[in-house]
Amino acid sequence: MDKNPNAMTGGEGRLPAIAPLANGYVPFQMENPPQYEPRKALVRGTLFPGLDLPFMGMVNKNERPVTPLSELQAMGFAIQELALYLDTHRDDQEAFALYRQFQMLYDKAKDIYEKEYGPLTHKSAVGDCYRWLCDPWPWEYPKNREV
């Protein structure tokens, strides 16, 4: 009679003693690495070409439509990528200056977007009444495209 594999481990999700372990690896970045422009970084999944390791050699070459929302998404992605880089390279003044520049550009673009299309988050919902749930939602692309 076959035993239940969970019964051997007590049903707690533990690996058997002979199970091999996998080791993840991310290359360590040097100072001032080259960077993709934010729109390409969003599609590739990283701001840094040195960390662009396509799964099974498949490269995402799709382009996002250029809309005010996609520009904000790309800028927000670049800011997050730079923040992660600065976690391990806090003395890289060029990266920090770029980080601050992207933050200022994002804030200006977000203000312009929200004046035109409405709030992106509930924290931005201001005015005479709560309008966070008013249509169109930010991800409803056809309704948010510039004509």
Side-chain angles (χ1 to χ4, degrees):
M1 180 167 130
D2 291 338
K3 289 186 176 181
N4 181 345
N6 289 334
M8 292 190 305
T9 62
E12 298 173 9
R14 295 184 184 158
L15 291 173
I18 59 170
L21 296 177
N23 295 317
Y25 173 76
V26 175
F28 190 78
Q29 294 174 274
M30 298 301 156
E31 296 281 324
N32 303 316
Q35 300 162 10
Y36 290 132
E37 57 94 16
R39 283 190 13 207
K40 185 173 183 178
L42 181 62
V43 171
R44 295 304 296 258
T46 181
L47 183 63
F48 305 103
L51 297 180
D52 192 354
L53 306 170
F55 179 69
M56 296 180 62
M58 294 182 286
V59 176
N60 185 2
K61 295 182 180 179
N62 295 333
E63 294 289 326
R64 300 225 355 126
V66 179
T67 65
L69 184 60
S70 70
E71 292 298 314
L72 276 175
Q73 289 171 330
M75 193 65 61
F77 182 78
I79 290 167
Q80 184 61 41
E81 284 283 283
L82 283 168
L84 292 170
Y85 172 78
L86 288 166
D87 284 345
T88 57
H89 298 81
R90 69 184 71 201
D91 296 327
D92 188 337
Q93 292 301 312
E94 281 185 43
F96 183 68
L98 187 60
Y99 174 75
R100 298 302 270 170
Q101 179 184 358
F102 280 164
Q103 282 181 319
M104 288 187 287
L105 289 170
Y106 179 87
D107 289 342
K108 287 178 187 175
K110 181 177 173 275
D111 290 342
I112 292 168
Y113 179 91
E114 288 182 334
K115 284 178 186 167
E116 179 73 25
Y117 299 104
L120 284 168
T121 68
H122 64 88
K123 294 186 289 185
S124 302
V126 295
D128 56 347
C129 65
Y130 188 75
R131 298 189 182 277
W132 168 238
L133 296 177
C134 293
D135 290 333
W137 287 78
W139 50 85
E140 293 179 308
Y141 296 113
K143 295 178 185 175
N144 287 315
R145 285 198 178 139
E146 286 187 346
V147 181

